[in-house]
Amino acid sequence: MKMKYLILALLPLSLMACHKANNETNEAIVQTNNAAVTLAEYNWTYQDSKASKPLVLAFNGDQKLSIETGCNNQGGTWNVEGNTLVISPLVSTMMACADDLKQQEQLSMAIFSEKKVPFEISTTNDQAILTVTDEKGQKYMFTGTKETNKN
C-alpha cells in the first residue's frame, strides 16, 4: 500500500522532469532558428585595419553564404548547429588582388571554408555584432547592417 502512494507521489516529479527536458530541447531549436533568421537579416562587415576594403558576409535564407573580400567573391553553403556555423568548402573567383585584399581573402578562407565555426550574436548600442572564433581561438567581430531587400 505504501509503495502505491510512493509511486503516486513521485509520478508528477518524473513528468515534470520529462517536460523540462522537452522544453530545453525546444528552446535550443528556437535559439538555433532565431540565430539563422538573424544571420540572414544582415550583411556582416569586418574591417581589418590593414585592408583597404571590408570583408562582407551575406547569409541568405536559402542557406547560401556569399563573401565579398574586396577583390574576389567567395561562396558556399551554411547551416547553424547550436552555437556553431557549419560551412561547406568555399568556391572563389580568381582575380589578381592587391596584397592587403589577398591577405583578407586568405583570412576568410581560413576562418570559414569547410569549417565548424563557433559564433555569437549580440547587440551593443543598438548595433548587431557577429563574433566568430577561428581554430586558434582568435575572435573576429562583424557589424551587422540590416538589409530590407534580402531574400
Side-chain angles (χ1 to χ4, degrees), residues 22-48:
N22 285 340
N23 281 347
E24 289 173 359
T25 301
N26 290 340
E27 287 174 17
I29 291 169
V30 168
Q31 289 173 348
T32 296
N33 289 340
N34 287 341
V37 168
T38 301
L39 285 168
E41 287 179 338
Y42 292 86
N43 279 343
W44 301 94
T45 303
Y46 172 77
Q47 182 70 51
D48 185 337

Side-chain angles (χ1 to χ4, degrees), residues 4-20:
K4 180 179 174 183
Y5 290 116
L6 180 61
I7 291 172
L8 287 174
L10 294 176
L11 183 63
L13 294 175
S14 64
L15 292 174
M16 286 174 37
C18 290
H19 181 71
K20 184 174 181 179

Side-chain angles (χ1 to χ4, degrees), residues 8-148:
L8 287 174
L10 294 176
L11 183 63
L13 294 175
S14 64
L15 292 174
M16 286 174 37
C18 290
H19 181 71
K20 184 174 181 179
N22 285 340
N23 281 347
E24 289 173 359
T25 301
N26 290 340
E27 287 174 17
I29 291 169
V30 168
Q31 289 173 348
T32 296
N33 289 340
N34 287 341
V37 168
T38 301
L39 285 168
E41 287 179 338
Y42 292 86
N43 279 343
W44 301 94
T45 303
Y46 172 77
Q47 182 70 51
D48 185 337
S49 61
K50 299 173 187 169
S52 58
K53 295 181 182 177
L55 181 67
V56 181
L57 310 175
F59 296 90
N60 295 330
D62 60 358
Q63 305 310 117
K64 291 191 171 111
L65 169 63
S66 63
I67 303 172
E68 296 174 18
T69 66
C71 180
N72 285 301
N73 293 319
Q74 300 169 334
T77 60
W78 67 280
N79 195 15
V80 173
E81 291 179 2
N83 66 341
T84 304
L85 284 169
V86 180
I87 309 291
S88 71
L90 295 178
V91 296
S92 179
T93 57
M94 302 291 284
M95 297 182 346
C97 303
D99 285 342
D100 65 324
L101 298 178
K102 187 185 305 180
Q103 289 175 357
Q104 184 160 270
E105 190 171 294
Q106 292 167 347
L107 173 68
S108 174
M109 280 286 196
I111 295 172
F112 296 107
S113 190
E114 201 170 6
K115 300 279 193 298
K116 290 187 174 188
V117 183
F119 79 98
E120 179 181 314
I121 299 172
S122 59
T123 306
T124 304
N125 298 326
D126 293 326
Q127 175 67 62
I129 305 292
L130 168 64
T131 304
V132 297
T133 306
D134 70 9
E135 293 173 325
K136 297 175 185 173
Q138 176 70 41
K139 294 186 181 293
Y140 299 90
M141 294 177 63
F142 292 76
T143 56
T145 304
K146 200 155 203 168
E147 289 296 311
T148 56

